[in-house]
Amino acid sequence: MKLAADIGGTTMRVATGQRRGEAVELNQLQEISMVTVDALGPWLASYIDALPQRPQSCALAVAGPIVQHGTDTRVRMTNLPLEIRAQELAETLAMPVQIVNDFTAISLGLPLLPDDGRVCVASGKPVTGAALAVLGPGTGLGVSGLLPTASGYAVIAGEGGHVSLATGGGEDELAVLSELRRETDFVGAEDVLCGTHLPRLYRAVCRVEGRTPAYISAVDIARAALDRNDGPALETLRLFTLWLGRCAGDLALTLGARGGVYLAGGILPKWGEGFDHKLFTQGFRDKGRFSAYVTEIPIWLVTHPYPALLGLVGNEL
């Protein structure tokens, strides 16, 4: 049995689990707000003490770049002032600890998703044994992928969410991008396409439209769009969806992800029917001479609540 924790910028999801054939069994699930976690080691130790059976090892998926310091693995979270060290945690918990990027874990979980753990955004013709790509907006913008090898898949551990934001050539898009650049010289994908920075996109839209921003948080902006048809909020979600589609299409081309593109993260499932599949697909397939190439690629929205935990428990890291 393994202890697994998916540690995001907003929420930590913890469980024990084990793999049984092609399925993963998760137990003792808890979801904890990160604002309530003062110190990770003591919190996990307390969680373990309350279990009916002690796990043999611990695997963490953390939202941040993984760095190797000699024999120690460390990660400084991108959107929280927290550094996690594997050796330090191993001493606290008295068990082996492994740390991977959160979207590395999600990638590893893709082949383990149950049939009801995803919904189709756009159909296509998946190529068996081809690369898979995954990205998704949550507190930040996670990106990863699986590349085929002779013995299965190799996972990509990168920071693709911080590439330059790619927009189309329409005047409306360029006007908003110009406003975004008034705040910072470099506009990366995560600087706009995530929950933390959705308000930045909303403020830029309001300035272009000559409106005073009425909302501050990403949650309030989404509610204003989905529940009240607020004009600037609707335009914010439109651009967010279109640009996320373009970003996903770039990733698919880069990886040759003809096996499929998966959308994960905490935002899109919460939008429900407010997530415009057609608009996202329009951005995804807007690739000029290579539009036909990406049109063959299926797109899936991950609806399983714990894909990273599946990846942590179901694989030898």
Side-chain angles (χ1 to χ4, degrees):
M1 187 174 67
K2 183 185 292 186
L3 169 65
D6 175 18
I7 305 172
T10 302
T11 303
M12 175 168 63
R13 299 167 178 86
V14 187
T16 61
Q18 52 195 325
R19 182 164 179 169
R20 299 186 183 278
E22 294 303 310
V24 172
E25 180 182 288
L26 299 176
N27 297 297
Q28 310 294 331
L29 281 159
Q30 290 191 30
E31 294 193 21
I32 306 298
S33 171
M34 286 301 293
V35 300
T36 67
V37 180
D38 295 327
L40 181 63
W43 192 97
L44 290 175
S46 177
Y47 173 88
I48 291 170
D49 288 343
L51 295 174
Q53 179 183 354
R54 183 176 176 82
Q56 287 76 50
S57 64
C58 175
L60 307 180
V62 184
I66 306 301
V67 178
Q68 201 68 30
H69 285 261
T71 60
D72 193 16
T73 304
R74 303 178 184 179
V75 56
R76 186 176 296 277
M77 296 190 68
T78 302
N79 294 300
L80 280 179
L82 177 64
E83 183 180 56
I84 301 172
R85 303 183 180 188
Q87 286 186 355
E88 183 180 275
L89 271 180
E91 293 174 1
T92 300
L93 304 180
M95 67 177 63
V97 173
Q98 293 175 297
I99 302 176
V100 298
N101 177 264
D102 57 340
F103 266 72
T104 295
I106 290 174
S107 289
L108 291 170
L110 296 182
L112 298 168
L113 285 174
D115 291 339
D116 61 355
R118 64 180 189 175
V119 296
C120 182
V121 174
S123 59
K125 299 177 181 178
V127 176
T128 301
L132 306 176
V134 58
L135 79 163
T139 304
L141 178 65
V143 173
S144 187
L146 294 176
L147 300 182
T149 70
S151 58
Y153 282 107
V155 67
I156 294 174
E159 289 297 323
H162 300 282
V163 299
S164 299
L165 178 67
T167 68
E171 291 186 5
D172 56 340
E173 295 182 52
L174 293 176
V176 174
L177 180 60
S178 178
E179 285 297 330
L180 289 168
R181 285 177 173 161
R182 292 180 186 273
E183 295 187 15
T184 176
D185 292 335
F186 175 79
V187 181
E190 185 175 282
D191 295 327
V192 177
L193 303 177
C194 69
T196 301
H197 298 302
L198 179 67
R200 175 181 290 172
L201 176 58
Y202 170 70
R203 292 193 301 270
V205 167
C206 287
R207 289 197 296 270
V208 169
E209 296 185 358
R211 305 278 291 272
T212 300
Y215 308 102
I216 297 175
S217 73
V219 171
D220 287 342
I221 294 166
R223 285 175 178 165
L226 301 176
D227 298 339
R228 295 188 287 276
N229 291 318
D230 178 86
L234 280 170
E235 177 64 3
T236 298
L237 265 60
R238 185 187 77 85
L239 290 176
F240 185 101
T241 303
L242 184 64
W243 289 355
L244 184 65
R246 293 215 174 99
C247 187
D250 288 348
L251 179 63
L253 287 174
T254 300
L255 299 185
R258 294 180 296 162
V261 170
Y262 288 78
L263 306 176
I267 289 181
L268 302 182
K270 291 179 181 177
W271 286 2
E273 294 182 359
F275 173 44
D276 190 333
H277 292 190
K278 184 177 180 180
L279 181 62
F280 177 91
T281 304
Q282 175 188 327
F284 182 87
R285 294 175 174 174
D286 184 17
K287 296 302 173 196
R289 293 185 296 122
F290 271 74
S291 292
Y293 180 97
V294 295
T295 296
E296 298 292 317
I297 297 174
I299 307 169
W300 301 90
L301 173 64
V302 176
T303 55
H304 192 285
Y306 309 112
L309 297 183
L310 294 181
L312 292 174
V313 172
N315 293 272
E316 294 295 329
L317 303 179

